[in-house]
Amino acid sequence: MKILITGNMGYVGPGVVSQLRATYPQATIIGYDMAYFASCLTNAPYLPEAKLDQQLFGDVRTMPAQVLEGVDAVVHLAAISNDPMGNKFEEITLDVNYRSSIRIAEMAKAAGVKNYVFASSCSMYGAASEQAKTEDSELNPLTAYARSKVASEKELQPLAGDGFTVTCLRFATACGMSDRLRLDLVLNDFVAGAVATGKITILSDGSPWRPLIHVKDMARAIDWAITREASNGGEFLAVNAGSNEWNYQVKELAHAVAEVIPGTEVSVNLEAAPDKRSYRVNFDKFKALAPNHQPTHTLKQSIEELRDGLEGMGFKDGNFRNSLYMRLMVLTSLQESEAINQQLQWQHALAKASEQKTQLETA
């Protein structure tokens, strides 16, 4: 088996690589990544990519078709991956998250790839109602990131068929320790605040609902999807990936952290404007289709793991929301150093391409 993972050097990727290597020890597993966050290692015992057979560096916007030669399954993680980045780089988000996803799927189908797994998101449901959102609920994307996922699913559906199985995993909000930890995620943010300062500052009034999933349980869902047969869910499947037990209000998450880390003070911003990004999600379909790949982590375990991981790093940065633990800050720093341009392209790659073009024109 040959597996290609795009965006493998982010927050989710290390866990996916580890999971797939354990399940398929004889497989050829290849990573393809832009490497923006390659240096954002957090207490990793070794480079996560050591478990790969090959790490390729490149931009999914221009990924060549030959990368897909002989590939059986594609796990497409690559994305501008949260709302702050999506808001700042809206058109690039559409290019990376949507147009590139469709282009790679088209190339994958042409290359004979059997399974295409797309990392989608529950954020496409947008605003909450009394009923938990199912796969048939109306989509109400409120951000560029969510809109990019809706557009991708819409155009991936007609590509499925003729031996090409497409699985869109609508993931709950990610959390948990990773070899490349992000703190711009709600639970991770709260644990970081508790560890660094003994305080959790909720930017909203704490009422919005969030479904959560541990990053390693995301990897378990992907493990299921890369060999999913069309008889189990159809040639095209969009399914909520998570657990019914992991629907929480933001203030519940903060108090759960305070219980695990005694002495933590929780403050709520009662003056904040209502956060419309609030939704509960029903995961019954995922449980029926993938009974052997259900989430195994509990909220308490996830908080304890994050606490231990951060303490193991000697983490004490009370100003972490303005640090390189936030993915937007990493991109901003790379732009300020002129390593990447306004289109989030590496300057050295552009210079090389320009030189090659000049050589061809003068040859």
Side-chain angles (χ1 to χ4, degrees):
M1 190 175 188
K2 188 175 183 180
I3 305 165
L4 174 70
I5 308 170
T6 69
N8 66 288
M9 301 182 83
Y11 171 61
V12 178
V16 174
V17 170
S18 185
Q19 175 76 35
L20 298 186
R21 176 54 70 204
T23 304
Y24 309 101
Q26 301 304 316
T28 299
I29 306 178
I30 301 167
Y32 189 92
D33 198 283
M34 193 69 156
Y36 297 136
F37 312 115
S39 64
C40 299
L41 292 166
T42 45
N43 223 25
Y46 52 83
L47 194 67
E49 292 71 48
K51 292 185 177 181
L52 294 171
D53 293 281
Q54 187 178 17
Q55 177 66 58
L56 302 175
F57 297 101
D59 190 331
V60 290
R61 291 172 288 187
T62 55
M63 190 181 88
Q66 56 261 39
V67 172
L68 293 155
E69 290 177 4
V71 170
D72 298 290
V74 172
V75 178
H76 189 48
L77 302 177
I80 303 297
S81 59
N82 66 8
D83 293 339
M85 287 196 291
N87 293 338
K88 182 172 181 179
F89 305 111
E90 186 162 352
E91 192 58 33
I92 298 171
T93 294
L94 289 173
D95 267 345
V96 173
N97 296 14
Y98 158 50
R99 297 182 187 102
S100 295
S101 300
I102 305 307
R103 176 176 165 271
I104 291 172
E106 290 172 340
M107 292 193 301
K109 184 174 183 177
V113 171
K114 299 178 182 68
N115 284 79
Y116 182 90
V117 182
F118 177 67
S120 193
S121 171
C122 285
S123 66
M124 61 176 59
Y125 295 120
S129 61
E130 290 300 315
Q131 298 294 322
K133 302 293 186 179
T134 70
E135 290 80 2
D136 297 323
S137 296
E138 181 182 357
L139 303 180
N140 184 26
L142 300 176
T143 64
Y145 173 75
R147 288 192 293 273
S148 74
K149 298 299 185 181
V150 172
S152 296
E153 284 194 13
K154 183 178 179 181
E155 290 200 31
L156 285 171
Q157 184 167 5
L159 289 176
D162 301 322
F164 186 61
T165 302
V166 176
T167 308
C168 300
L169 294 169
R170 294 179 180 175
F171 283 118
T173 300
C175 68
M177 195 63 197
S178 164
D179 288 339
R180 287 193 177 89
L181 181 64
R182 287 171 52 188
L183 296 182
D184 48 11
L185 294 160
V186 61
L187 186 67
N188 298 4
D189 175 292
F190 289 170
V191 177
V195 169
T197 67
K199 297 181 180 179
I200 295 174
T201 304
I202 303 178
L203 300 179
S204 70
D205 65 0
S207 65
W209 286 89
R210 288 286 187 278
L212 268 66
I213 184 171
H214 193 285
V215 68
K216 291 177 183 174
D217 287 327
M218 295 173 72
R220 285 170 55 80
I222 289 167
D223 192 348
W224 165 73
I226 64 166
T227 56
R228 184 182 69 84
E229 298 288 341
S231 58
N232 183 30
E235 292 175 323
F236 174 85
L237 174 66
V239 62
N240 298 333
S243 168
N244 291 336
E245 290 73 31
W246 273 69
N247 281 295
Y248 292 99
Q249 283 183 289
V250 169
K251 58 188 174 184
E252 290 181 296
L253 295 173
H255 289 297
V257 173
E259 285 184 18
V260 173
I261 306 176
T264 299
E265 175 188 330
V266 177
S267 65
V268 179
N269 185 2
L270 297 176
E271 304 299 319
D275 187 344
K276 294 180 180 179
R277 298 171 303 162
S278 177
Y279 44 89
R280 283 178 290 173
V281 178
N282 180 292
F283 298 98
D284 287 348
K285 187 172 184 177
F286 178 58
K287 190 171 185 178
L289 292 172
N292 298 323
H293 291 81
Q294 291 300 292
T296 60
H297 290 73
T298 67
L299 178 60
K300 185 172 183 288
Q301 287 171 340
S302 302
I303 295 168
E304 290 172 341
E305 180 194 56
L306 282 164
R307 176 201 62 196
D308 294 346
L310 287 166
E311 289 178 348
M313 291 160 50
F315 180 78
K316 296 178 181 178
D317 187 0
N319 191 36
F320 66 87
R321 286 175 175 166
N322 292 308
S323 75
L324 295 180
Y325 292 109
M326 315 297 280
R327 292 299 194 245
L328 177 57
M329 297 300 295
V330 176
L331 293 184
T332 300
S333 175
L334 288 172
Q335 285 187 327
E336 288 175 349
S337 67
E338 298 185 353
I340 62 175
N341 64 13
Q342 292 301 309
Q343 299 303 311
L344 306 186
Q345 299 164 307
W346 289 105
Q347 295 284 25
H348 70 267
L350 290 175
K352 183 177 180 181
S354 177
E355 182 181 347
Q356 289 174 338
K357 182 181 178 183
T358 301
Q359 289 173 347
L360 287 171
E361 289 174 347
T362 57

